Amino acid sequence: AQSVAQPEDQVNVAEGNPLTVKCTYSVSGNPYLFWYVQYPNRGLQFLLKYITGDNLVKGSYGFEAEFNKSQTSFHLKKPSALVSDSALYFCAVRDYGQNFVFGPGTRLSVLP
Amino acid sequence: DAEITQSPRHKITETGRQVTLACHQTWNHNNMFWYRQDLGHGLRLIHYSYGVQDTNKGEVSDGYSVSRSNTEDLPLTLESAASSQTSVYFCASSEEVGVSYEQYFGPGTRLTVT
């Protein structure tokens, strides 16, 4: 079965600094990978995905993610963090059929 | 604009009562999903449907049921609510078209079982 790990429960970064939220995965076959963001009392919002092609994927709100097949990782990055980026971030991998498996989430706090 | 809505947004019920949470999407997506979100567990799949009259059990389906009579709606029913079902419930939908696989989520329903 597919699985996703997010090794950090919490990431703290100062505003203006680069941020990284880590994700590793385990799949059989080609991975389809996704990042979502959840703001308080809201549903999950799609940020970006890797299906095929370039290993560096660009998404919404200035976020990007780097797919690394040899390290089975799909880390989320942003060059300059904003306080408004503070939220809960989920990595997901496509499972059988159209289903997703989600990681446990990483809480990002951007400090002013 | 297309969207996915859930109702109610908040619900308090008593143990043993039947509860139904509504999910309605205007994306015209064939695939619909119900998840629950609990601290420390992320999102766990309860039930899913790939089309009208199709329903399937997910990872944590015990005590829940769904029915799909049209494309737009996938109501989630708790047959006899238990305190362990206190959670935030999210509905999602998707359509596999080209390389578009992402799921779109509703705003969630916070359910408290007392």
Side-chain angles (χ1 to χ4, degrees), chain A residues 36 38 49 94 98-99, chain B residues 37 50 96 99 102-103:
Chain A
Y36 285 81
Q38 185 182 30
K49 65 185 174 188
R94 186 183 175 192
Q98 303 294 319
N99 296 2
Chain B
Q37 183 180 23
Y50 289 161
E96 182 175 345
V99 292
E102 55 268 28
Q103 295 184 9

Side-chain angles (χ1 to χ4, degrees), chain A residues 32 34 36 38 41-46 49 51-52 88 90 94 96-100 102-105 107, chain B residues 9 31 33 35 37 40-43 45 48 50 57 90 94 96 99-107 110:
Chain A
Y32 293 0
F34 304 80
Y36 285 81
Q38 185 182 30
N41 301 312
R42 303 285 295 276
L44 277 69
Q45 296 179 32
F46 169 71
K49 65 185 174 188
I51 305 298
T52 186
L88 190 56
F90 290 96
R94 186 183 175 192
Y96 59 91
Q98 303 294 319
N99 296 2
F100 284 13
F102 286 85
R107 187 164 300 282
Chain B
R9 294 295 312 278
N31 309 321
F33 310 85
Y35 296 90
Q37 183 180 23
H41 290 280
L43 276 79
L45 184 64
Y48 60 98
Y50 289 161
K57 294 181 178 180
F90 289 100
S94 74
E96 182 175 345
V99 292
S100 174
Y101 302 96
E102 55 268 28
Q103 295 184 9
Y104 294 90
F105 283 77
R110 184 174 296 276

Side-chain angles (χ1 to χ4, degrees), chain A residues 6-101:
Chain A
Q6 294 181 243
E8 300 158 318
D9 293 336
Q10 173 93 31
V11 171
N12 297 320
V13 64
E15 187 175 28
N17 283 1
L19 70 87
T20 299
V21 183
K22 296 180 180 178
C23 171
T24 59
Y25 64 89
S26 174
V27 304
S28 54
N30 294 323
Y32 293 0
L33 297 158
F34 304 80
W35 275 103
Y36 285 81
V37 61
Q38 185 182 30
Y39 298 102
N41 301 312
R42 303 285 295 276
L44 277 69
Q45 296 179 32
F46 169 71
L47 278 179
L48 51 77
K49 65 185 174 188
Y50 173 83
I51 305 298
T52 186
D54 289 342
N55 290 342
L56 186 64
V57 178
K58 294 190 182 296
S60 305
Y61 313 122
F63 284 94
E64 57 190 26
E66 186 170 10
F67 170 67
N68 187 317
K69 188 172 184 178
S70 63
Q71 297 186 2
T72 62
S73 67
F74 188 55
H75 300 333
L76 182 70
K77 300 181 180 184
K78 187 173 183 182
S80 178
L82 300 173
V83 172
S84 58
D85 293 329
S86 298
L88 190 56
Y89 289 82
F90 290 96
C91 183
V93 64
R94 186 183 175 192
D95 197 9
Y96 59 91
Q98 303 294 319
N99 296 2
F100 284 13
V101 173

